[in-house]
Amino acid sequence: QSALTQPASVSGSPGQSITISCTGTSSDVGTYNLVSWYQQHPGKAPKLMIYEVSERPSGFSDRFSGSKSGNTASLTISGLQADDEADYYCCSYAGSNNWVFGGGTKLTVL
Amino acid sequence: QVQLVQSGVEVKKPGASLKVSCKASGDTFTIYGFSWVRQAPGQGLEWMGWISAYNGHTNYAQNFQGRVTLTTDTSTTTAYMELRSLRSDDTAVYYCARTIAASRHFDYWGQGTLVSVSS
């Protein structure tokens, strides 16, 4: 199972919106609406931000949204804030109790 | 509230074995699965395997098959990850993550266990 493909880095200014893409295959992202996104600050454990492509955990900010088209999922962060600066990872279920992560994207808030 | 608390730092020599624990609290243990994910220094997340706390069923990533064993102890609500024949490139932070069956995502994570493998 190959890793999902994410851009290595993205950047944006406070208040702007950015989108991070996550490209898989017809064996994972393309087949299952079971893509999740995780935020990781340096030295910390990952934190769930989005599940089932576009669902947010209860109480989480609606500045974070997810979508999917074909084999590519996307995470959009609107109204960028300084604390959004972190690494972001997508993850897709790949069937038969297998999961695959993306390589991660470093978000820089300028 | 839900907490996953992992065991502490491990320093191992090549060829040795490792067993990391993940103590869960705050919710019913047996209705969830637990996945293990590792992160080498400066690298991304790598899924290693999954175990159902309900029936002990497991599945391992191809990269780790034959070297990793996941278990759970329902009496102590603890999940375990054993990795054998350690190599220097097994140096990483190892995370346990509670896995939601229906939506196949990881909703709570342990704090991570740093494992260093060096001669």
PDB file of all heavy atoms in Angstrom, chain A residues 34 36 38 40 44-46 48 51-52 89 91 93 96-99 101, chain B residues 37 39 43-45 47 50 59 95 99 102-107 109-110:
ATOM      1  N   LEU A  34     -14.082   7.346   3.595  1.00  0.00           N
ATOM      2  CA  LEU A  34     -13.546   7.151   4.951  1.00  0.00           C
ATOM      3  C   LEU A  34     -12.167   7.800   5.032  1.00  0.00           C
ATOM      4  O   LEU A  34     -11.190   7.191   5.468  1.00  0.00           O
ATOM      5  CB  LEU A  34     -13.501   5.650   5.285  1.00  0.00           C
ATOM      6  CG  LEU A  34     -14.867   4.973   5.320  1.00  0.00           C
ATOM      7  CD1 LEU A  34     -14.701   3.455   5.454  1.00  0.00           C
ATOM      8  CD2 LEU A  34     -15.725   5.495   6.471  1.00  0.00           C
ATOM      9  N   SER A  36      -9.881  10.721   6.666  1.00  0.00           N
ATOM     10  CA  SER A  36      -9.788  11.554   7.861  1.00  0.00           C
ATOM     11  C   SER A  36      -8.539  12.429   7.767  1.00  0.00           C
ATOM     12  O   SER A  36      -7.611  12.138   7.005  1.00  0.00           O
ATOM     13  CB  SER A  36      -9.764  10.708   9.131  1.00  0.00           C
ATOM     14  OG  SER A  36      -8.814   9.669   9.053  1.00  0.00           O
ATOM     15  N   TYR A  38      -5.692  14.837  10.156  1.00  0.00           N
ATOM     16  CA  TYR A  38      -5.110  15.019  11.485  1.00  0.00           C
ATOM     17  C   TYR A  38      -4.157  16.206  11.464  1.00  0.00           C
ATOM     18  O   TYR A  38      -3.406  16.397  10.507  1.00  0.00           O
ATOM     19  CB  TYR A  38      -4.369  13.754  11.910  1.00  0.00           C
ATOM     20  CG  TYR A  38      -5.299  12.558  11.906  1.00  0.00           C
ATOM     21  CD1 TYR A  38      -5.483  11.810  10.749  1.00  0.00           C
ATOM     22  CD2 TYR A  38      -6.042  12.224  13.035  1.00  0.00           C
ATOM     23  CE1 TYR A  38      -6.385  10.765  10.714  1.00  0.00           C
ATOM     24  CE2 TYR A  38      -6.946  11.179  13.007  1.00  0.00           C
ATOM     25  CZ  TYR A  38      -7.113  10.458  11.834  1.00  0.00           C
ATOM     26  OH  TYR A  38      -8.014   9.422  11.799  1.00  0.00           O
ATOM     27  N   GLN A  40      -1.026  18.028  13.491  1.00  0.00           N
ATOM     28  CA  GLN A  40       0.036  17.706  14.446  1.00  0.00           C
ATOM     29  C   GLN A  40       0.943  18.911  14.648  1.00  0.00           C
ATOM     30  O   GLN A  40       1.632  19.337  13.721  1.00  0.00           O
ATOM     31  CB  GLN A  40       0.849  16.498  13.976  1.00  0.00           C
ATOM     32  CG  GLN A  40       1.863  16.032  15.017  1.00  0.00           C
ATOM     33  CD  GLN A  40       2.684  14.848  14.573  1.00  0.00           C
ATOM     34  OE1 GLN A  40       3.026  14.728  13.395  1.00  0.00           O
ATOM     35  NE2 GLN A  40       3.011  13.955  15.504  1.00  0.00           N
ATOM     36  N   LYS A  44       3.911  17.044  19.491  1.00  0.00           N
ATOM     37  CA  LYS A  44       2.612  16.623  20.025  1.00  0.00           C
ATOM     38  C   LYS A  44       2.054  15.444  19.242  1.00  0.00           C
ATOM     39  O   LYS A  44       2.481  15.166  18.119  1.00  0.00           O
ATOM     40  CB  LYS A  44       1.614  17.781  19.954  1.00  0.00           C
ATOM     41  CG  LYS A  44       2.035  19.012  20.741  1.00  0.00           C
ATOM     42  CD  LYS A  44       2.060  18.746  22.222  1.00  0.00           C
ATOM     43  CE  LYS A  44       2.289  20.024  23.006  1.00  0.00           C
ATOM     44  NZ  LYS A  44       2.362  19.755  24.467  1.00  0.00           N
ATOM     45  N   ALA A  45       1.081  14.779  19.840  1.00  0.00           N
ATOM     46  CA  ALA A  45       0.389  13.704  19.141  1.00  0.00           C
ATOM     47  C   ALA A  45      -0.564  14.288  18.099  1.00  0.00           C
ATOM     48  O   ALA A  45      -1.042  15.419  18.249  1.00  0.00           O
ATOM     49  CB  ALA A  45      -0.395  12.858  20.144  1.00  0.00           C
ATOM     50  N   PRO A  46      -0.833  13.550  17.042  1.00  0.00           N
ATOM     51  CA  PRO A  46      -1.829  14.010  16.062  1.00  0.00           C
ATOM     52  C   PRO A  46      -3.190  14.191  16.711  1.00  0.00           C
ATOM     53  O   PRO A  46      -3.524  13.554  17.705  1.00  0.00           O
ATOM     54  CB  PRO A  46      -1.852  12.863  15.043  1.00  0.00           C
ATOM     55  CG  PRO A  46      -0.533  12.188  15.185  1.00  0.00           C
ATOM     56  CD  PRO A  46      -0.209  12.281  16.647  1.00  0.00           C
ATOM     57  N   LEU A  48      -7.394  14.573  15.652  1.00  0.00           N
ATOM     58  CA  LEU A  48      -8.408  14.419  14.607  1.00  0.00           C
ATOM     59  C   LEU A  48      -9.088  15.746  14.305  1.00  0.00           C
ATOM     60  O   LEU A  48      -9.541  16.430  15.215  1.00  0.00           O
ATOM     61  CB  LEU A  48      -9.454  13.402  15.069  1.00  0.00           C
ATOM     62  CG  LEU A  48     -10.674  13.214  14.157  1.00  0.00           C
ATOM     63  CD1 LEU A  48     -10.277  12.539  12.858  1.00  0.00           C
ATOM     64  CD2 LEU A  48     -11.751  12.413  14.892  1.00  0.00           C
ATOM     65  N   TYR A  51     -13.350  13.603   9.773  1.00  0.00           N
ATOM     66  CA  TYR A  51     -13.503  12.182   9.487  1.00  0.00           C
ATOM     67  C   TYR A  51     -14.615  11.983   8.472  1.00  0.00           C
ATOM     68  O   TYR A  51     -15.417  12.900   8.238  1.00  0.00           O
ATOM     69  CB  TYR A  51     -13.744  11.378  10.771  1.00  0.00           C
ATOM     70  CG  TYR A  51     -15.064  11.685  11.459  1.00  0.00           C
ATOM     71  CD1 TYR A  51     -16.170  10.865  11.277  1.00  0.00           C
ATOM     72  CD2 TYR A  51     -15.189  12.788  12.306  1.00  0.00           C
ATOM     73  CE1 TYR A  51     -17.371  11.136  11.902  1.00  0.00           C
ATOM     74  CE2 TYR A  51     -16.387  13.068  12.938  1.00  0.00           C
ATOM     75  CZ  TYR A  51     -17.476  12.241  12.727  1.00  0.00           C
ATOM     76  OH  TYR A  51     -18.666  12.504  13.358  1.00  0.00           O
ATOM     77  N   GLU A  52     -14.672  10.792   7.896  1.00  0.00           N
ATOM     78  CA  GLU A  52     -15.662  10.498   6.847  1.00  0.00           C
ATOM     79  C   GLU A  52     -15.718  11.621   5.807  1.00  0.00           C
ATOM     80  O   GLU A  52     -16.791  12.116   5.471  1.00  0.00           O
ATOM     81  CB  GLU A  52     -17.043  10.262   7.462  1.00  0.00           C
ATOM     82  CG  GLU A  52     -17.150   8.938   8.179  1.00  0.00           C
ATOM     83  CD  GLU A  52     -18.567   8.648   8.703  1.00  0.00           C
ATOM     84  OE1 GLU A  52     -19.186   9.570   9.278  1.00  0.00           O
ATOM     85  OE2 GLU A  52     -19.030   7.509   8.540  1.00  0.00           O
ATOM     86  N   TYR A  89      -2.022  15.684   8.121  1.00  0.00           N
ATOM     87  CA  TYR A  89      -1.955  14.365   7.488  1.00  0.00           C
ATOM     88  C   TYR A  89      -3.350  13.899   7.108  1.00  0.00           C
ATOM     89  O   TYR A  89      -4.281  13.968   7.921  1.00  0.00           O
ATOM     90  CB  TYR A  89      -1.347  13.336   8.437  1.00  0.00           C
ATOM     91  CG  TYR A  89       0.099  13.587   8.771  1.00  0.00           C
ATOM     92  CD1 TYR A  89       0.460  14.361   9.868  1.00  0.00           C
ATOM     93  CD2 TYR A  89       1.118  13.044   7.982  1.00  0.00           C
ATOM     94  CE1 TYR A  89       1.793  14.602  10.163  1.00  0.00           C
ATOM     95  CE2 TYR A  89       2.455  13.278   8.278  1.00  0.00           C
ATOM     96  CZ  TYR A  89       2.782  14.058   9.365  1.00  0.00           C
ATOM     97  OH  TYR A  89       4.103  14.287   9.663  1.00  0.00           O
ATOM     98  N   CYS A  91      -5.608  10.512   5.881  1.00  0.00           N
ATOM     99  CA  CYS A  91      -5.562   9.071   6.088  1.00  0.00           C
ATOM    100  C   CYS A  91      -6.802   8.480   5.443  1.00  0.00           C
ATOM    101  O   CYS A  91      -7.907   9.027   5.568  1.00  0.00           O
ATOM    102  CB  CYS A  91      -5.535   8.744   7.577  1.00  0.00           C
ATOM    103  SG  CYS A  91      -5.459   6.983   7.939  1.00  0.00           S
ATOM    104  N   TYR A  93      -9.066   4.801   4.775  1.00  0.00           N
ATOM    105  CA  TYR A  93      -9.292   3.373   4.939  1.00  0.00           C
ATOM    106  C   TYR A  93      -9.062   2.736   3.576  1.00  0.00           C
ATOM    107  O   TYR A  93      -9.414   3.312   2.537  1.00  0.00           O
ATOM    108  CB  TYR A  93     -10.708   3.115   5.416  1.00  0.00           C
ATOM    109  CG  TYR A  93     -11.012   1.668   5.676  1.00  0.00           C
ATOM    110  CD1 TYR A  93     -10.356   0.975   6.695  1.00  0.00           C
ATOM    111  CD2 TYR A  93     -11.954   0.975   4.919  1.00  0.00           C
ATOM    112  CE1 TYR A  93     -10.633  -0.356   6.951  1.00  0.00           C
ATOM    113  CE2 TYR A  93     -12.234  -0.355   5.171  1.00  0.00           C
ATOM    114  CZ  TYR A  93     -11.585  -1.015   6.185  1.00  0.00           C
ATOM    115  OH  TYR A  93     -11.847  -2.341   6.432  1.00  0.00           O
ATOM    116  N   SER A  96     -10.354  -4.157   4.329  1.00  0.00           N
ATOM    117  CA  SER A  96      -9.821  -5.305   5.091  1.00  0.00           C
ATOM    118  C   SER A  96      -8.999  -4.874   6.283  1.00  0.00           C
ATOM    119  O   SER A  96      -7.946  -5.464   6.579  1.00  0.00           O
ATOM    120  CB  SER A  96      -8.980  -6.200   4.159  1.00  0.00           C
ATOM    121  OG  SER A  96      -9.754  -6.668   3.081  1.00  0.00           O
ATOM    122  N   ASN A  97      -9.458  -3.850   6.978  1.00  0.00           N
ATOM    123  CA  ASN A  97      -8.780  -3.337   8.177  1.00  0.00           C
ATOM    124  C   ASN A  97      -7.354  -2.879   7.893  1.00  0.00           C
ATOM    125  O   ASN A  97      -6.418  -3.167   8.665  1.00  0.00           O
ATOM    126  CB  ASN A  97      -8.818  -4.378   9.300  1.00  0.00           C
ATOM    127  CG  ASN A  97     -10.225  -4.625   9.778  1.00  0.00           C
ATOM    128  OD1 ASN A  97     -10.981  -3.692  10.035  1.00  0.00           O
ATOM    129  ND2 ASN A  97     -10.609  -5.888   9.871  1.00  0.00           N
ATOM    130  N   ASN A  98      -7.208  -2.206   6.773  1.00  0.00           N
ATOM    131  CA  ASN A  98      -5.960  -1.550   6.418  1.00  0.00           C
ATOM    132  C   ASN A  98      -6.204  -0.036   6.305  1.00  0.00           C
ATOM    133  O   ASN A  98      -7.267   0.389   5.851  1.00  0.00           O
ATOM    134  CB  ASN A  98      -5.426  -2.043   5.070  1.00  0.00           C
ATOM    135  CG  ASN A  98      -4.848  -3.426   5.152  1.00  0.00           C
ATOM    136  OD1 ASN A  98      -3.760  -3.634   5.669  1.00  0.00           O
ATOM    137  ND2 ASN A  98      -5.597  -4.402   4.646  1.00  0.00           N
ATOM    138  N   TRP A  99      -5.203   0.711   6.692  1.00  0.00           N
ATOM    139  CA  TRP A  99      -5.252   2.169   6.561  1.00  0.00           C
ATOM    140  C   TRP A  99      -3.953   2.653   5.905  1.00  0.00           C
ATOM    141  O   TRP A  99      -2.911   1.989   6.007  1.00  0.00           O
ATOM    142  CB  TRP A  99      -5.363   2.832   7.939  1.00  0.00           C
ATOM    143  CG  TRP A  99      -6.725   2.789   8.561  1.00  0.00           C
ATOM    144  CD1 TRP A  99      -7.660   3.782   8.567  1.00  0.00           C
ATOM    145  CD2 TRP A  99      -7.292   1.702   9.299  1.00  0.00           C
ATOM    146  NE1 TRP A  99      -8.769   3.381   9.268  1.00  0.00           N
ATOM    147  CE2 TRP A  99      -8.577   2.087   9.727  1.00  0.00           C
ATOM    148  CE3 TRP A  99      -6.846   0.421   9.645  1.00  0.00           C
ATOM    149  CZ2 TRP A  99      -9.421   1.270  10.478  1.00  0.00           C
ATOM    150  CZ3 TRP A  99      -7.676  -0.406  10.386  1.00  0.00           C
ATOM    151  CH2 TRP A  99      -8.944   0.024  10.796  1.00  0.00           C
ATOM    152  N   PHE A 101      -1.696   6.455   5.301  1.00  0.00           N
ATOM    153  CA  PHE A 101      -1.554   7.883   5.555  1.00  0.00           C
ATOM    154  C   PHE A 101      -0.930   8.587   4.351  1.00  0.00           C
ATOM    155  O   PHE A 101      -0.230   7.976   3.536  1.00  0.00           O
ATOM    156  CB  PHE A 101      -0.629   8.124   6.761  1.00  0.00           C
ATOM    157  CG  PHE A 101      -1.299   7.959   8.084  1.00  0.00           C
ATOM    158  CD1 PHE A 101      -1.193   6.766   8.778  1.00  0.00           C
ATOM    159  CD2 PHE A 101      -2.020   8.997   8.659  1.00  0.00           C
ATOM    160  CE1 PHE A 101      -1.806   6.603  10.015  1.00  0.00           C
ATOM    161  CE2 PHE A 101      -2.628   8.847   9.890  1.00  0.00           C
ATOM    162  CZ  PHE A 101      -2.526   7.650  10.575  1.00  0.00           C
TER     163      PHE A 101
ATOM    164  N   VAL B  37       0.553   3.524  15.239  1.00  0.00           N
ATOM    165  CA  VAL B  37       1.094   4.387  14.191  1.00  0.00           C
ATOM    166  C   VAL B  37       2.468   4.843  14.651  1.00  0.00           C
ATOM    167  O   VAL B  37       2.633   5.204  15.827  1.00  0.00           O
ATOM    168  CB  VAL B  37       0.177   5.616  13.981  1.00  0.00           C
ATOM    169  CG1 VAL B  37       0.775   6.571  12.951  1.00  0.00           C
ATOM    170  CG2 VAL B  37      -1.223   5.175  13.549  1.00  0.00           C
ATOM    171  N   GLN B  39       6.153   7.228  13.877  1.00  0.00           N
ATOM    172  CA  GLN B  39       6.669   8.421  13.198  1.00  0.00           C
ATOM    173  C   GLN B  39       8.165   8.492  13.436  1.00  0.00           C
ATOM    174  O   GLN B  39       8.612   8.791  14.549  1.00  0.00           O
ATOM    175  CB  GLN B  39       5.970   9.680  13.724  1.00  0.00           C
ATOM    176  CG  GLN B  39       6.335  10.941  12.982  1.00  0.00           C
ATOM    177  CD  GLN B  39       5.439  12.097  13.375  1.00  0.00           C
ATOM    178  OE1 GLN B  39       5.044  12.237  14.530  1.00  0.00           O
ATOM    179  NE2 GLN B  39       5.109  12.947  12.406  1.00  0.00           N
ATOM    180  N   GLN B  43       9.863  12.537   9.978  1.00  0.00           N
ATOM    181  CA  GLN B  43       9.093  11.881   8.923  1.00  0.00           C
ATOM    182  C   GLN B  43       7.590  11.911   9.215  1.00  0.00           C
ATOM    183  O   GLN B  43       7.154  12.446  10.235  1.00  0.00           O
ATOM    184  CB  GLN B  43       9.557  10.425   8.779  1.00  0.00           C
ATOM    185  CG  GLN B  43      11.030  10.278   8.459  1.00  0.00           C
ATOM    186  CD  GLN B  43      11.402  10.966   7.159  1.00  0.00           C
ATOM    187  OE1 GLN B  43      10.785  10.726   6.111  1.00  0.00           O
ATOM    188  NE2 GLN B  43      12.408  11.836   7.197  1.00  0.00           N
ATOM    189  N   GLY B  44       6.821  11.324   8.310  1.00  0.00           N
ATOM    190  CA  GLY B  44       5.378  11.307   8.446  1.00  0.00           C
ATOM    191  C   GLY B  44       4.874  10.138   9.274  1.00  0.00           C
ATOM    192  O   GLY B  44       5.651   9.368   9.844  1.00  0.00           O
ATOM    193  N   LEU B  45       3.565  10.022   9.315  1.00  0.00           N
ATOM    194  CA  LEU B  45       2.907   8.966  10.076  1.00  0.00           C
ATOM    195  C   LEU B  45       2.839   7.689   9.239  1.00  0.00           C
ATOM    196  O   LEU B  45       2.564   7.732   8.038  1.00  0.00           O
ATOM    197  CB  LEU B  45       1.500   9.405  10.469  1.00  0.00           C
ATOM    198  CG  LEU B  45       1.403  10.688  11.282  1.00  0.00           C
ATOM    199  CD1 LEU B  45      -0.060  11.062  11.495  1.00  0.00           C
ATOM    200  CD2 LEU B  45       2.115  10.544  12.616  1.00  0.00           C
ATOM    201  N   TRP B  47       1.049   3.838   9.426  1.00  0.00           N
ATOM    202  CA  TRP B  47       0.151   2.902  10.095  1.00  0.00           C
ATOM    203  C   TRP B  47       0.806   1.531  10.169  1.00  0.00           C
ATOM    204  O   TRP B  47       1.309   1.018   9.171  1.00  0.00           O
ATOM    205  CB  TRP B  47      -1.167   2.816   9.334  1.00  0.00           C
ATOM    206  CG  TRP B  47      -2.140   1.851   9.919  1.00  0.00           C
ATOM    207  CD1 TRP B  47      -2.917   2.031  11.021  1.00  0.00           C
ATOM    208  CD2 TRP B  47      -2.410   0.524   9.446  1.00  0.00           C
ATOM    209  NE1 TRP B  47      -3.663   0.902  11.273  1.00  0.00           N
ATOM    210  CE2 TRP B  47      -3.373  -0.041  10.317  1.00  0.00           C
ATOM    211  CE3 TRP B  47      -1.948  -0.239   8.383  1.00  0.00           C
ATOM    212  CZ2 TRP B  47      -3.873  -1.335  10.144  1.00  0.00           C
ATOM    213  CZ3 TRP B  47      -2.442  -1.516   8.198  1.00  0.00           C
ATOM    214  CH2 TRP B  47      -3.395  -2.048   9.086  1.00  0.00           C
ATOM    215  N   TRP B  50      -3.736  -2.917  13.430  1.00  0.00           N
ATOM    216  CA  TRP B  50      -5.002  -2.673  14.137  1.00  0.00           C
ATOM    217  C   TRP B  50      -5.416  -3.920  14.881  1.00  0.00           C
ATOM    218  O   TRP B  50      -5.147  -5.049  14.442  1.00  0.00           O
ATOM    219  CB  TRP B  50      -6.066  -2.298  13.107  1.00  0.00           C
ATOM    220  CG  TRP B  50      -7.490  -2.428  13.565  1.00  0.00           C
ATOM    221  CD1 TRP B  50      -8.261  -1.494  14.164  1.00  0.00           C
ATOM    222  CD2 TRP B  50      -8.332  -3.591  13.428  1.00  0.00           C
ATOM    223  NE1 TRP B  50      -9.522  -1.995  14.420  1.00  0.00           N
ATOM    224  CE2 TRP B  50      -9.589  -3.294  13.986  1.00  0.00           C
ATOM    225  CE3 TRP B  50      -8.125  -4.870  12.901  1.00  0.00           C
ATOM    226  CZ2 TRP B  50     -10.639  -4.201  14.017  1.00  0.00           C
ATOM    227  CZ3 TRP B  50      -9.166  -5.785  12.926  1.00  0.00           C
ATOM    228  CH2 TRP B  50     -10.411  -5.436  13.492  1.00  0.00           C
ATOM    229  N   ASN B  59      -4.958  -6.995  12.174  1.00  0.00           N
ATOM    230  CA  ASN B  59      -4.443  -6.882  10.822  1.00  0.00           C
ATOM    231  C   ASN B  59      -3.204  -6.012  10.875  1.00  0.00           C
ATOM    232  O   ASN B  59      -3.188  -5.001  11.594  1.00  0.00           O
ATOM    233  CB  ASN B  59      -5.452  -6.275   9.848  1.00  0.00           C
ATOM    234  CG  ASN B  59      -4.963  -6.418   8.410  1.00  0.00           C
ATOM    235  OD1 ASN B  59      -4.679  -7.523   7.940  1.00  0.00           O
ATOM    236  ND2 ASN B  59      -4.837  -5.302   7.715  1.00  0.00           N
ATOM    237  N   TYR B  95       2.736   5.620  18.451  1.00  0.00           N
ATOM    238  CA  TYR B  95       1.465   6.081  18.998  1.00  0.00           C
ATOM    239  C   TYR B  95       0.429   4.960  18.954  1.00  0.00           C
ATOM    240  O   TYR B  95       0.356   4.218  17.964  1.00  0.00           O
ATOM    241  CB  TYR B  95       0.898   7.234  18.174  1.00  0.00           C
ATOM    242  CG  TYR B  95       1.685   8.514  18.193  1.00  0.00           C
ATOM    243  CD1 TYR B  95       2.530   8.861  17.142  1.00  0.00           C
ATOM    244  CD2 TYR B  95       1.570   9.412  19.263  1.00  0.00           C
ATOM    245  CE1 TYR B  95       3.233  10.057  17.136  1.00  0.00           C
ATOM    246  CE2 TYR B  95       2.263  10.613  19.268  1.00  0.00           C
ATOM    247  CZ  TYR B  95       3.094  10.922  18.204  1.00  0.00           C
ATOM    248  OH  TYR B  95       3.789  12.108  18.208  1.00  0.00           O
ATOM    249  N   THR B  99      -9.621   3.456  17.528  1.00  0.00           N
ATOM    250  CA  THR B  99     -10.125   3.361  16.164  1.00  0.00           C
ATOM    251  C   THR B  99     -11.627   3.120  16.177  1.00  0.00           C
ATOM    252  O   THR B  99     -12.095   2.161  16.794  1.00  0.00           O
ATOM    253  CB  THR B  99      -9.408   2.217  15.414  1.00  0.00           C
ATOM    254  OG1 THR B  99      -7.988   2.405  15.546  1.00  0.00           O
ATOM    255  CG2 THR B  99      -9.777   2.217  13.946  1.00  0.00           C
ATOM    256  N   ALA B 102     -17.108   2.059  12.720  1.00  0.00           N
ATOM    257  CA  ALA B 102     -18.024   2.415  11.629  1.00  0.00           C
ATOM    258  C   ALA B 102     -17.382   3.387  10.648  1.00  0.00           C
ATOM    259  O   ALA B 102     -17.519   3.245   9.438  1.00  0.00           O
ATOM    260  CB  ALA B 102     -19.305   2.995  12.195  1.00  0.00           C
ATOM    261  N   SER B 103     -16.698   4.368  11.169  1.00  0.00           N
ATOM    262  CA  SER B 103     -16.173   5.435  10.319  1.00  0.00           C
ATOM    263  C   SER B 103     -14.659   5.377  10.130  1.00  0.00           C
ATOM    264  O   SER B 103     -14.084   6.245   9.497  1.00  0.00           O
ATOM    265  CB  SER B 103     -16.577   6.798  10.867  1.00  0.00           C
ATOM    266  OG  SER B 103     -16.312   6.871  12.242  1.00  0.00           O
ATOM    267  N   ARG B 104     -14.056   4.302  10.693  1.00  0.00           N
ATOM    268  CA  ARG B 104     -12.653   3.989  10.388  1.00  0.00           C
ATOM    269  C   ARG B 104     -11.700   5.156  10.574  1.00  0.00           C
ATOM    270  O   ARG B 104     -10.823   5.403   9.747  1.00  0.00           O
ATOM    271  CB  ARG B 104     -12.545   3.469   8.950  1.00  0.00           C
ATOM    272  CG  ARG B 104     -13.508   2.359   8.624  1.00  0.00           C
ATOM    273  CD  ARG B 104     -13.162   1.082   9.356  1.00  0.00           C
ATOM    274  NE  ARG B 104     -14.013  -0.025   8.923  1.00  0.00           N
ATOM    275  CZ  ARG B 104     -13.900  -1.269   9.322  1.00  0.00           C
ATOM    276  NH1 ARG B 104     -12.973  -1.589  10.207  1.00  0.00           N
ATOM    277  NH2 ARG B 104     -14.704  -2.198   8.850  1.00  0.00           N
ATOM    278  N   HIS B 105     -11.857   5.882  11.668  1.00  0.00           N
ATOM    279  CA  HIS B 105     -10.907   6.952  11.947  1.00  0.00           C
ATOM    280  C   HIS B 105     -10.364   6.808  13.358  1.00  0.00           C
ATOM    281  O   HIS B 105     -10.839   5.981  14.143  1.00  0.00           O
ATOM    282  CB  HIS B 105     -11.560   8.331  11.753  1.00  0.00           C
ATOM    283  CG  HIS B 105     -12.613   8.659  12.749  1.00  0.00           C
ATOM    284  ND1 HIS B 105     -13.936   8.287  12.591  1.00  0.00           N
ATOM    285  CD2 HIS B 105     -12.556   9.332  13.916  1.00  0.00           C
ATOM    286  CE1 HIS B 105     -14.634   8.714  13.615  1.00  0.00           C
ATOM    287  NE2 HIS B 105     -13.830   9.354  14.442  1.00  0.00           N
ATOM    288  N   PHE B 106      -9.359   7.607  13.660  1.00  0.00           N
ATOM    289  CA  PHE B 106      -8.661   7.534  14.937  1.00  0.00           C
ATOM    290  C   PHE B 106      -9.048   8.755  15.756  1.00  0.00           C
ATOM    291  O   PHE B 106      -8.599   9.865  15.452  1.00  0.00           O
ATOM    292  CB  PHE B 106      -7.150   7.487  14.708  1.00  0.00           C
ATOM    293  CG  PHE B 106      -6.740   6.512  13.635  1.00  0.00           C
ATOM    294  CD1 PHE B 106      -5.961   6.925  12.566  1.00  0.00           C
ATOM    295  CD2 PHE B 106      -7.133   5.182  13.673  1.00  0.00           C
ATOM    296  CE1 PHE B 106      -5.584   6.049  11.559  1.00  0.00           C
ATOM    297  CE2 PHE B 106      -6.764   4.291  12.675  1.00  0.00           C
ATOM    298  CZ  PHE B 106      -5.990   4.719  11.613  1.00  0.00           C
ATOM    299  N   ASP B 107      -9.910   8.555  16.774  1.00  0.00           N
ATOM    300  CA  ASP B 107     -10.447   9.724  17.444  1.00  0.00           C
ATOM    301  C   ASP B 107      -9.624  10.189  18.646  1.00  0.00           C
ATOM    302  O   ASP B 107      -9.623  11.385  18.955  1.00  0.00           O
ATOM    303  CB  ASP B 107     -11.923   9.517  17.832  1.00  0.00           C
ATOM    304  CG  ASP B 107     -12.134   8.410  18.840  1.00  0.00           C
ATOM    305  OD1 ASP B 107     -11.222   7.576  19.023  1.00  0.00           O
ATOM    306  OD2 ASP B 107     -13.226   8.386  19.434  1.00  0.00           O
ATOM    307  N   TRP B 109      -5.704   9.732  20.639  1.00  0.00           N
ATOM    308  CA  TRP B 109      -4.336   9.241  20.488  1.00  0.00           C
ATOM    309  C   TRP B 109      -3.626   9.249  21.834  1.00  0.00           C
ATOM    310  O   TRP B 109      -3.871  10.130  22.679  1.00  0.00           O
ATOM    311  CB  TRP B 109      -3.563  10.139  19.524  1.00  0.00           C
ATOM    312  CG  TRP B 109      -4.061  10.113  18.113  1.00  0.00           C
ATOM    313  CD1 TRP B 109      -5.273  10.538  17.657  1.00  0.00           C
ATOM    314  CD2 TRP B 109      -3.338   9.657  16.972  1.00  0.00           C
ATOM    315  NE1 TRP B 109      -5.369  10.364  16.296  1.00  0.00           N
ATOM    316  CE2 TRP B 109      -4.180   9.825  15.850  1.00  0.00           C
ATOM    317  CE3 TRP B 109      -2.068   9.122  16.779  1.00  0.00           C
ATOM    318  CZ2 TRP B 109      -3.786   9.470  14.558  1.00  0.00           C
ATOM    319  CZ3 TRP B 109      -1.672   8.781  15.491  1.00  0.00           C
ATOM    320  CH2 TRP B 109      -2.531   8.957  14.394  1.00  0.00           C
ATOM    321  N   GLY B 110      -2.725   8.300  21.999  1.00  0.00           N
ATOM    322  CA  GLY B 110      -1.829   8.352  23.144  1.00  0.00           C
ATOM    323  C   GLY B 110      -0.793   9.457  22.962  1.00  0.00           C
ATOM    324  O   GLY B 110      -0.698  10.063  21.889  1.00  0.00           O
TER     325      GLY B 110
END
